Amino acid sequence: MNTFKNDIDALAKHYSELVKQHGDAAESAQYADRATQERRMEILCEIGVQKDSKVLDFGCGTGQMLSLLQRTIGFEGEYVGYDISPEAIEFANKAHPEGRFEVRDILSDPPEEQFDFVLVSGVFNNAMSDNRGFFEATSQRLMEHAKVGYAFNMLSRFVDYFDEGLYYEDPLSAFAFCKENLSPLVSLRHDYAVRPGSIPFEFTIYVRKSDIEPRALKG
């Protein structure tokens, strides 16, 4: 049973309303503008996405990740987008017929396919009843479907302002979880700003697949 169903249903309604209001604009995915949205996506793709990779964009919205990949690296691989908002998926399918978009709650309905890279931007930012539990359960499920790597971003607790509607994670806690449960090959990036002159208020983690099983840390 998916213990996060009520939260997911509420978020699906929230993002569907944003798509109805803003269409394909960055605001439909709760970003301030297209430039900062794409900056976050560029950082995720630096895990090693190639032009012929098979990519899962989890929380794809209206498909802006595909547009970015096509424009920046001439992407010709297989792109799959999952989202919980039917309105976002309907928009994405019309705008990007070369991609494959599905309404899917991965915790209740996991896919039967593998991807080279799983990319997640902004999915873990909204306050929920159990943010840590949702992040951990979702990450474990997504890592099962990543052949090469899994990359995600989160809002950092190393900030000077907290919005009560958002969730801020301790980067070191997220790193430790990934290191102990997903793979021993983990990189933490907290060195980038999404706009010039701003302090880094979020972080990105790259988790790369390994033949070595993750294990509990002694530190």
Side-chain angles (χ1 to χ4, degrees):
M1 183 179 68
N2 183 355
T3 59
F4 306 101
K5 185 178 185 308
N6 289 340
D7 288 303
I8 291 171
D9 288 347
L11 286 173
K13 181 178 180 180
H14 169 69
Y15 281 104
S16 289
E17 290 300 320
L18 289 179
V19 172
K20 291 176 184 176
Q21 183 178 356
H22 299 288
D24 200 29
E27 289 84 354
S28 69
Q30 209 168 272
Y31 294 107
D33 53 55
R34 184 73 77 208
T36 57
Q37 179 186 24
E38 291 190 345
R39 176 61 176 155
R40 293 175 172 95
M41 292 176 176
E42 289 169 353
I43 295 295
L44 289 176
C45 293
E46 288 178 10
I47 190 175
V49 177
Q50 304 295 313
K51 65 184 298 183
D52 59 349
S53 296
K54 181 178 181 180
V55 172
L56 171 61
D57 180 5
F58 181 74
C60 63
T62 58
Q64 289 305 312
M65 180 80 77
L66 178 54
S67 296
L68 176 72
L69 287 170
Q70 291 172 331
R71 189 175 71 250
T72 57
I73 64 171
F75 184 75
E76 299 175 345
E78 186 175 354
Y79 171 96
V80 181
Y82 294 162
D83 204 278
I84 55 175
S85 165
E87 282 75 12
I89 292 301
E90 181 180 3
F91 198 110
N93 273 314
K94 292 178 180 177
H96 304 283
E98 70 277 21
R100 172 158 55 93
F101 297 90
E102 302 176 13
V103 177
R104 186 184 290 267
D105 174 355
I106 197 170
L107 296 178
S108 299
D109 184 23
E112 297 182 354
E113 61 183 311
Q114 297 289 305
F115 308 89
D116 296 319
F117 296 97
V118 176
L119 308 176
V120 182
S121 185
V123 168
F124 303 124
N125 291 352
N126 290 85
M128 300 173 63
S129 59
D130 180 8
N131 280 92
R132 178 65 62 79
F134 176 71
F135 156 65
E136 293 181 355
T138 301
S139 293
Q140 287 178 309
R141 177 59 54 81
L142 291 173
M143 193 65 190
E144 294 171 359
H145 297 276
K147 293 192 295 183
V148 182
Y150 163 50
F152 63 91
N153 54 39
M154 300 181 81
L155 296 174
S156 173
R157 292 198 63 83
F158 291 99
V159 293
D160 56 2
Y161 173 79
F162 292 99
D163 186 317
E164 65 179 20
L166 300 177
Y167 175 68
Y168 299 81
E169 177 62 280
D170 177 357
L172 302 182
S173 293
F175 176 88
F177 168 78
C178 294
K179 191 83 170 173
E180 292 185 316
N181 296 277
L182 303 184
S183 171
L185 307 180
V186 183
S187 302
L188 167 62
R189 288 197 59 179
H190 208 323
D191 64 337
Y192 62 95
V194 297
R195 61 169 57 88
S198 68
I199 64 170
F201 56 88
E202 61 185 70
F203 62 92
T204 292
I205 286 182
Y206 305 138
V207 187
R208 293 178 172 83
K209 207 76 170 185
S210 173
D211 293 331
I212 302 171
E213 289 295 317
R215 61 197 67 176
L217 302 175
K218 293 183 178 180

